[in-house]
C-alpha cells in the first residue's frame, strides 16, 4: 500500500463523506427532542439476564417520551445461546450479541451495561446459576452499576419467583432486588466508594408480562401506555421498538411494527410505592437542585424559540446553558453526576446546531504498538455559525495549531503521519483479554466494569471555539472505504500484534494413530515481517515442522507452514501451542473475525492453541452427505476423522441420486431455516425407505423457528425439553440397540467431558414406531427419553436427536464422535 506523507498542509476537498457509525447526526426535529431531554434530569435502569430480554418498547418510551436517562443492565453477553445467522458459538457469539445490543440502543435511545457474568448455557433454576456465576461477584457488579448510573427507578424484566423460566432470568431479578438495598448501604462493597457514592433508588418494579400461556399481569398493577406517537421522531414507540428488537438478528427476533395504544404492567416490589406513574413524586426538572433555576428558564426559552430551519440561532442560549452547567457546585454528589452527563448532552447539541461534523480516519484499518500511521482529520461547519478550529491533536506531542475560522459548508482536511505509542494495548475486547471461568469473566480494570465495549485508545481531539466557548471534541480513529455494493463502509481502527497465527482447526481429532499434515497460517500485520514459528505439544504427541522460518514482505501477506502431528501409543488429550519469534520478541496470538452488515466489524485475539484428541474410533461406510442448517461445524469435524462429506445444496437435493450415500446428516435447525426442505422431504423419506440413514439434529417449533412440515416418517413433536447439566447421568434403556454397539461399543465413559449441556429441544409425543434408547434428566426433574429417537422405515433408519453434537464435536469430546458415528452406521433393516 502506498502511503504519502503530507506535512502540515491544509487541503480543501469537494467530497463530503457519509457519517461514521459512532457519531449519529441529528435532524432539526431530533435537535428539539434532545433539547427537551437536556431539560430533564432523571434516570431509570432496566435489569434482565441476556441480550434480547429487554423490553425495547418500554426503553424507547422512557428515553423518548419521558426523556429520562435510560439504561439496560444485562447480566450476560449471551455467549451460551444459539446462533441463527452463522457458526459462531461461545465468546464469538457473545461478541455478536453485545454489538446487537449496542445497535438496538442506537435505535431506542437507551444505554447499555453488563456485569462480568458469563452465559454458560440454559439454567433451570437460580441456585444452579449462582453456582457458576459466584453470586457475590455479580451482585457487586449490579451494585456498581446502580451507584454509577444513579437510577431513580429500577425495573426488572423477570420475577424472583421463577415465572421467567430460565434460571438466569430469575437470578437477574434476585440480584436486582438485593442490589436495590445494597447500593444504599455503605457497608456493602465499601471498596467501590473510592470511586463513587452510595445510591438510594426510590422504587423497584417488576415489568410483568403475558408470554404464551404465562400471564403475570393483573388489573391492580400500575399501568402505563407506552404506545404513544412522537411527532418529532415521526414514529410511535411500538415502531421504534420493532426496529430496535430486530437488531437481535442472531436470535431471529425480527419484529413487526406495532402502532397505537399498548399497555405495560408493573408490579411494585420495594421502596416508595407509586400510584399513577413510574416516576410518581420524582422531580425530573432542573429545579430539583438549588441554583439551577436559570438553566431551566434558559432551556424553556430555547425550546420555545427554536427555529427548525436555522438551528444555529439557538447557539447563544445553548452556550450560556453550557457555561451555567459548567459552573455548578460539585459538593452535591448527585448534582455533580448530572453536571457531567448534561455537559456531554449540551456539547452534542452545540455541535448539532452548528452543523459541525468531525472525523479522524486512517489510511489503513490496523497498526501495531509503536507503528507509523497516516490519518486524515476532517471538519465542516454546515450552518451559519461562528466556529474557529484552534488546533487538532492526537497527543500533546502531535499538536497542530491552526486558529482557522471555518467558512460555512466548506470541508477542511488535514493529513498527518503519526507514530503510535509502544505501550498501546491490542484492541481485543477487554473482557476476553484474560482466561476466565465458565461463569465469570476476568476484568482487572475497575474503570472498565459494566462498559459494553473497549474505550478507544486512539482518538484525535478537535479544539474548537464556538462563539466564545472552547470545546475539545474527541473522535475515535476509524477506517473507511467504499464498497461497490454497500457504499461507504466504516470499521474500527485496530491495534494488533506484528503477526497472528491461525490453526486450520480449533481441535485436531485423530481416529487412529496416522499422523496428519496440518497447516498453520501466519499473517503479517506489518511490512517486512520475518521470524520463526515454534510449536509445542504434550509428551504423547509428535510434532515436526517442515520449515519454521518465514519472511513476509508486505503487510497483509500470509504464509502457510506445514507441520506433521501424530499421537504416540496411548496418547492422552493435549494442546498444541504456537508462538512466533520476531526481532527477539515472542508473540502467540490468533485472531478470529466477525463480519455482519448489521453490526460493526469485530474481532478477538486469543492464545494460538488447538486441542489434540485421540479417539478409539471405528467407522462404517464413510461416504455421507450433509444438509446445512443454521450453521455448525459438524461436517468439518467428521471430515477430520476420515469421512468424505458432500454438502447437499438445494440444487443437489433436487438433482442428486442420494442412494450413493450411506447416511445423510441434517444440520441444526435446518427445517427452521430452509423453506425448501419440505419440498425435498418425500425424496429424503424415499432415501430412508431404500436403506439410507437420515440423522436430523435439533430443530425448534416456536415463533422464531416454526416447523413447516413433518420431519420423520412417523409423528412426533419437538418440545422445549432439555437437559442442561452436562454431567447428568445417562441411562441406557435398550443396551443391545445397534446405536450403542455398532461399530463402537458405547459406555458411560462416552458421556464424560461433555460441554455446556446434554441436549436441547427433545422429541415428545413420540409415535410407538420410534425406539428410545437413552434416558436422562436434570437434578430433581422427571426422566426424558426424547433426546434421541430412532425409527425403522423400510430398509433404512430415521433418527431425530437433540443431543448437542454441534457443541461436542468441535470441542473434541471423544464420546460424541463415537455415538454419532454409530448413528450414521445403523445397519439396514431386513
Amino acid at each position: 500500500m502506498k502511503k504519502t506523507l503530507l506535512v502540515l498542509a491544509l487541503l480543501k476537498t469537494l467530497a463530503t463523506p457519509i457519517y461514521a457509525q459512532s457519531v449519529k447526526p441529528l435532524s432539526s426535529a431530533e435537535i428539539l427532542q434532545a433539547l427537551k431531554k437536556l431539560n430533564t434530569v432523571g434516570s431509570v435502569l432496566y435489569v434482565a439476564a441476556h441480550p434480547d430480554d429487554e423490553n425495547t418498547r418500554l426503553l424507547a418510551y422512557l428515553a423518548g417520551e419521558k426523556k429520562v436517562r435510560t439504561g439496560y443492565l444485562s447480566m450476560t453477553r449471551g455467549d451460551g445461546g444459539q446462533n441463527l445467522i452463522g457458526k459462531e458459538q461461545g465468546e464469538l457469539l457473545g461478541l455478536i450479541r453485545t454489538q446487537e445490543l449496542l445497535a438496538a440502543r442506537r435505535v431506542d435511545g437507551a444505554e447499555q451495561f453488563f456485569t462480568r457474568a458469563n452465559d454458560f448455557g440454559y439454567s433451570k433454576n437460580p441456585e444452579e446459576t449462582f453456582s457458576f456465576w459466584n453470586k457475590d461477584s455479580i451482585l457487586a457488579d449490579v451494585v456498581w452499576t446502580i451507584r454509577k448510573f444513579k437510577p431513580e427507578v429500577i425495573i426488572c424484566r423477570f420475577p424472583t419467583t421463577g415465572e421467567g423460566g430460565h434460571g438466569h432470568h430469575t437470578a437477574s431479578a434476585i440480584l436486582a432486588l438485593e442490589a436495590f438495598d445494597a447500593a444504599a448501604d455503605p457497608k456493602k462493597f465499601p471498596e467501590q466508594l473510592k470511586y463513587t457514592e452510595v445510591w438510594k433508588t426510590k422504587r423497584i418494579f417488576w415489568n410483568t408480562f403475558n408470554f404464551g400461556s404465562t400471564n403475570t399481569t393483573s388489573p391492580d398493577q400500575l399501568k402505563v401506555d407506552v404506545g404513544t406517537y412522537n411527532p418529532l421522531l415521526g414514529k410511535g414507540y411500538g415502531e421504534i421498538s420493532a426496529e430496535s428488537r430486530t437488531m437481535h438478528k442472531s436470535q431471529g427476533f425480527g419484529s413487526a411494527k406495532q402502532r397505537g395504544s399498548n399497555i405495560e404492567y408493573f408490579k411494585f416490589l420495594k421502596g416508595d410505592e407509586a400510584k399513577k406513574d413510574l416516576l410518581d413524586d420524582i422531580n425530573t426538572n432542573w429545579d430539583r437542585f438549588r441554583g439551577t433555576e436559570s438553566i431551566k428558564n434558559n432551556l424553556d426559552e430555547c425550546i420555545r424559540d427554536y427555529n427548525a430551519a436555522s438551528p444555529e440561532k439557538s447557539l447563544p442560549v445553548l452556550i450560556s446553558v453550557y457555561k451555567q452547567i459548567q459552573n455548578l457546585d460539585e459538593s452535591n454528589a448527585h448534582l455533580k453526576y448530572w453536571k457531567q452527563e448534561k455537559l456531554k448532552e449540551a456539547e452534542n447539541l452545540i455541535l448539532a446546531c452548528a452543523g459541525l461534523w468531525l472525523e479522524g480516519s486512517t489510511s489503513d484499518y490496523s497498526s501495531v504498538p509503536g507503528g507509523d500511521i497516516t490519518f486524515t482529520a476532517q471538519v465542516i461547519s454546515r450552518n451559519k455559525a461562528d466556529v474557529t478550529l484552534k488546533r487538532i491533536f492526537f497527543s500533546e506531542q502531535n499538536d497542530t495549531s491552526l486558529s482557522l475560522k471555518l467558512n460555512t459548508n466548506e470541508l477542511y482536511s488535514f493529513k498527518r503521519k503519526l507514530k503510535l505509542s509502544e505501550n498501546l494495548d491490542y484492541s481485543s475486547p477487554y473482557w476476553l483479554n484474560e482466561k476466565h471461568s465458565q461463569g465469570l469473566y476476568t476484568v482487572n480494570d475497575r474503570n472498565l466494569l459494566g462498559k459494553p465495549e473497549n474505550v478507544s485508545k486512539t482518538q484525535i481531539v478537535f479544539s474548537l471555539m464556538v462563539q466564545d466557548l472552547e470545546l475539545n471534541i474527541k473522535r475515535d480513529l476509524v477506517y473507511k472505504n467504499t464498497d461497490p455494493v454497500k457504499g461507504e463502509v466504516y470499521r474500527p481502527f485496530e491495534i494488533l500484534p506484528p503477526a497472528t497465527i491461525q490453526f486450520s482447526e480449533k481441535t485436531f481429532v485423530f481416529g487412529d494413530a496416522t499422523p496428519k499434515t496440518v497447516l498453520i497460517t501466519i499473517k503479517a500485520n506489518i511490512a517486512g515481517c520475518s521470524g520463526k514459528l515454534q510449536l509445542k505439544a504434550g509428551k504423547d504427541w509428535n510434532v515436526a515442522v517442515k520449515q519454521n522460518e518465514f519472511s513476509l514482505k508486505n503487510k497483509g501477506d500470509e504464509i502457510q507452514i506445514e507441520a506433521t502431528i501424530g499421537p504416540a501409543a496411548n496418547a492422552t488429550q493435549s494442546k498444541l501451542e504456537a508462538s512466533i519469534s520476531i526481532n527477539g520478541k515472542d508473540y502467540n496470538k490468533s485472531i478470529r473475525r466477525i463480519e455482519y452488515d448489521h453490526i460493526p466489524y469485530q474481532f478477538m485475539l486469543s492464545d494460538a492453541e488447538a486441542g489434540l484428541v485421540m479417539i478409539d474410533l471405528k467407522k462404517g461406510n464413510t461416504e455421507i452427505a450433509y444438509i446445512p442448517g443454521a450453521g455448525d461445524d459438524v461436517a468439518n469435524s467428521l471430515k477430520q476423522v476420515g469421512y468424505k462429506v458432500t454438502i447437499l445444496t438445494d440444487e443437489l437435493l433436487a438433482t442428486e441420486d442420494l442412494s450413493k450415500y450411506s447416511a445423510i446428516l441434517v444440520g441444526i435447525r435446518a427445517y427452521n431455516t430452509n423453506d425448501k426442505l419440505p419440498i425435498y422431504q418425500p425424496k429424503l423419506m424415499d432415501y430412508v425407505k431404500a436403506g439410507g440413514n437420515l440423522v436430523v439434529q435439533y430443530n425448534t417449533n416456536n415463533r422464531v423457528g416454526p416447523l413447516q412440515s413433518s420431519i420423520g416418517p412417523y409423528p412426533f413433536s419437538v418440545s422445549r425439553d432439555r437437559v442442561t447439566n452436562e454431567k447428568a447421568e445417562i441411562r441406557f434403556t435398550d443396551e443391545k440397540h445397534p446405536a450403542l454397539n455398532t461399530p463402537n461399543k458405547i459406555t458411560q465413559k462416552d458421556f464424560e467431558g461433555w460441554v455446556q449441556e446434554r441436549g436441547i429441544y427433545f422429541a415428545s409425543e413420540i409415535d410407538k414406531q420410534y425406539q428410545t434408547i437413552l434416558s436422562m434428566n436434570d437434578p430433581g426433574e422427571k426422566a426424558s427419553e426424547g433426546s434421541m429417537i430412532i425409527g425403522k422405515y423400510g430398509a433404512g433408519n430415521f433418527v431425530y436427536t437433540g443431543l448437542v453434537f454441534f457443541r461436542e464435536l468441535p470441542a473434541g469430546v471423544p464420546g460424541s464422535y463415537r455415538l454419532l458415528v454409530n448413528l450414521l452406521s445403523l445397519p439396514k433393516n431386513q
Side-chain angles (χ1 to χ4, degrees), residues 774-818:
L774 299 179
S775 174
M776 63 187 75
N777 56 275
D778 278 319
E781 297 188 352
K782 67 178 182 179
S784 171
E785 296 186 359
S787 65
M788 186 165 66
I789 61 173
I790 303 173
K792 295 179 179 181
Y793 184 62
N797 301 278
F798 170 85
V799 180
Y800 173 82
T801 178
L803 294 175
V804 287
F805 291 113
F806 75 99
R807 295 195 195 280
E808 310 309 321
L809 267 68
V813 177
S816 65
Y817 279 87
R818 287 163 50 82

Side-chain angles (χ1 to χ4, degrees), residues 44-51 53-54 59 70-76 101 105 110-116 138-146 149 154-157 172 175-176 179 449-451:
V44 177
L45 183 66
Y46 201 82
V47 180
H50 309 105
D53 285 344
E54 76 274 24
L59 294 182
T70 306
Y72 173 44
L73 173 59
S74 176
M75 297 293 128
T76 76
L101 275 175
R105 297 297 80 79
E111 299 173 54
Q112 187 60 51
F113 305 98
F114 292 97
T115 75
R116 289 170 291 168
I138 305 306
L139 177 61
D141 290 358
V142 179
V143 169
W144 172 257
T145 301
I146 292 172
F149 188 75
I154 296 173
I155 303 172
C156 302
R157 167 79 282 189
S172 72
L175 289 165
L449 278 179
K451 293 187 182 298

